[in-house]
Amino acid sequence: MSLTYSDLGWTPFFQNQQDAENALVAYRVSAVHRSTVTGLSPKGTARLTLPPEQITSGFAVGDWVLTDDDLQIVKLLDRHSTLRRNSAASAMGRQLIATNVDTLMITTSCNDDFNVARLERYLALAHQAGCEPVILLTKADTCSDASAYRDQADALLPDLQVLAINAHDPTDIAALLALCPKGKTTALVGSSGVGKTTLANGLTQRSDATAAIRESDARGRHTTTARHLRQMTNGGWLIDTPGMRALPLKGAGDAIEAVYAEFHTLVQHCKFSDCKHEGEPGCAVQAAVEAGDLNEKRFLRWKKLLREDEYNSLSAGEARRKDKHFNKMARPATRGKKRKRR
């Protein structure tokens, strides 16, 4: 089946970045490899090479690039949305997840995988990236009361779409396809074992292998090990991602504010402009929590994300100095204590 640029997701946003006088060809990145990337265009699929001294970690599935006659990338076009996270191994590293995504489908199961704090992180990720979030509650058919999970997810943001689905039900798959029509792109994120591969198979009519979860804690094994851009049955595009449990945030202040809007609305009423909401007099946020107007557990999660984001946004030198200061402050508490012999 032949594809047009419009089918691939090409819009005036990208057209305006292309010089009409040059002969460069646009490709959409469908896979990133060790030293090359695979691209899609109306001409078909091609393996694209990188300019000298450039590495593939700077490219992501979903990118648009311009190439010369030798299929070498000449220009990476600006992205209208960028999904990225801090590396789980290093708070200072950044990892591209996917780009030019319109809808982020955040998947979690109606079992022990369901975690409100993780969902709030994913919502912050979506806001930071510039994507429209949708929460998918998978395995609803195996749960005695899926509405209890849905109520918790519904309460996280006003007007948030939350769908409890059975990934094997054609009607539910059709509802998901309607969220990402022809030419649009969606990405599936969530932990291993929540059914992302089953969903991806239903949306694309592929038959990638799935794996069972560990029933004791609903943890799954990675069946998706790389990201690919796949066409869905309705002409939309899907980027499936490997399972992610760790999701450190960085530079996400505005996104955290959007997810926890009820707290930020009250911040401006605190007595002190630099209020940390940790016992200062005249703290409007703590007063609302103590009065029962705001959820205390959500308040604690909000503060935790703010501290994490502040720390991850520090430079490497600032982070080392902060750690050194903390260790120095903590050391006196252990001085003078003799270790007991066993």
Side-chain angles (χ1 to χ4, degrees), residues 266 270 275 277-280 283-291 299 303:
L266 286 175
C270 290
C275 183
H277 324 295
E278 295 177 352
E280 298 92 336
C283 175
V285 177
Q286 282 194 304
V289 172
E290 291 169 2
F299 167 67
K303 286 179 58 180

Side-chain angles (χ1 to χ4, degrees), residues 272-319:
F272 301 107
S273 59
D274 60 348
C275 183
K276 299 295 184 183
H277 324 295
E278 295 177 352
E280 298 92 336
C283 175
V285 177
Q286 282 194 304
V289 172
E290 291 169 2
D293 296 330
L294 293 177
N295 183 283
E296 183 177 10
K297 290 182 178 179
R298 185 167 158 87
F299 167 67
L300 295 174
R301 295 195 300 269
W302 170 62
K303 286 179 58 180
K304 180 181 179 180
L305 276 188
L306 287 177
R307 287 194 300 268
E308 176 187 309
D309 182 66
E310 179 183 7
Y311 179 82
N312 288 342
S313 299
L314 296 174
S315 67
E318 289 172 329

Side-chain angles (χ1 to χ4, degrees), residues 5 9-22 26 64 66 75-80:
Y5 274 115
W10 184 262
T11 66
F13 175 83
F14 302 110
Q15 182 67 48
N16 292 337
Q17 300 177 58
Q18 187 176 33
D19 188 344
E21 297 180 359
N22 64 40
W64 279 100
L66 301 180
K75 182 180 181 181
L76 170 65
L77 300 186
D78 292 341
R79 302 149 172 159
H80 76 72

Side-chain angles (χ1 to χ4, degrees), residues 131-197:
C131 307
E132 182 70 24
V134 176
I135 292 182
L136 306 183
L137 303 176
T138 62
K139 307 185 182 181
D141 53 309
T142 66
C143 173
S144 59
D145 185 15
S147 63
Y149 294 101
R150 179 166 187 164
D151 290 344
Q152 291 182 71
D154 273 330
L156 296 179
L157 273 181
D159 302 320
L160 175 65
Q161 288 196 76
V162 179
L163 301 177
I165 61 171
N166 172 3
H168 299 284
D169 187 334
T171 301
D172 288 352
I173 292 297
L176 298 185
L177 289 170
L179 297 177
C180 188
K182 185 177 181 179
K184 297 294 184 179
T185 303
T186 189
L188 277 172
V189 294
S191 353
S192 299
V194 298
K196 296 194 306 298
T197 302

